[in-house]
Amino acid sequence: MKKKVAFICVHNSCRSQIAEALGNYLRGNEFECYSCGTQTKEQINQDAVRLMKELYGIDMEEKQYSKTYDKIPTPDIAISMGCDVGCPYIGRVRLYKCFVW
């Protein structure tokens, strides 16, 4: 059974969405990757969408949308995206903190 990985940010509109897409693209045979936040945005950041299409041929808008933690399966691994703001509490200890960008 694949481990479920959650990339968690506040708005779930850019970095966590990119991490979900890349995680599934690069390691989808080993992990189920999800992203979520404590708040949502109307749409995924359009610069992120454009760059992922250009660089990897991934259309994030095909399957992904901005969502809160209650909209994804309970993760085995939780990764905070290190947004330099208060990271969301997801009801369990954060296992990793990832400083990206």
Side-chain angles (χ1 to χ4, degrees):
M1 176 183 273
K2 295 181 189 179
K3 293 227 182 236
K4 293 175 181 64
V5 179
F7 296 97
I8 305 162
C9 206
V10 175
H11 292 114
N12 188 225
S13 63
C14 191
R15 287 174 286 176
S16 53
Q17 292 285 348
I18 290 171
E20 175 184 351
L22 281 176
N24 285 320
Y25 178 74
L26 297 172
R27 303 299 246 192
N29 58 334
E30 300 169 63
F31 300 99
E32 290 178 26
C33 296
Y34 301 90
S35 66
C36 65
T38 52
Q39 302 170 23
T40 60
K41 291 284 187 178
E42 232 174 82
Q43 64 181 12
I44 299 172
N45 180 293
Q46 292 301 292
D47 288 329
V49 170
R50 179 181 50 78
L51 287 170
M52 291 300 287
K53 280 182 187 173
E54 288 176 11
L55 296 174
Y56 299 98
I58 298 171
D59 183 356
M60 292 196 305
E61 293 180 307
E62 190 175 282
K63 296 180 182 175
Q64 292 177 226
Y65 60 95
S66 184
K67 57 204 161 296
T68 53
Y69 182 72
D70 60 327
K71 303 293 185 218
I72 67 168
T74 302
D76 299 300
I77 301 167
I79 301 172
S80 169
M81 297 308 297
C83 324
D84 201 27
V85 295
C87 290
Y89 177 67
I90 61 168
R92 63 183 288 178
V93 175
R94 180 177 58 236
L95 300 177
Y96 301 96
K97 187 162 186 174
C98 177
F99 293 96
V100 293
W101 316 111

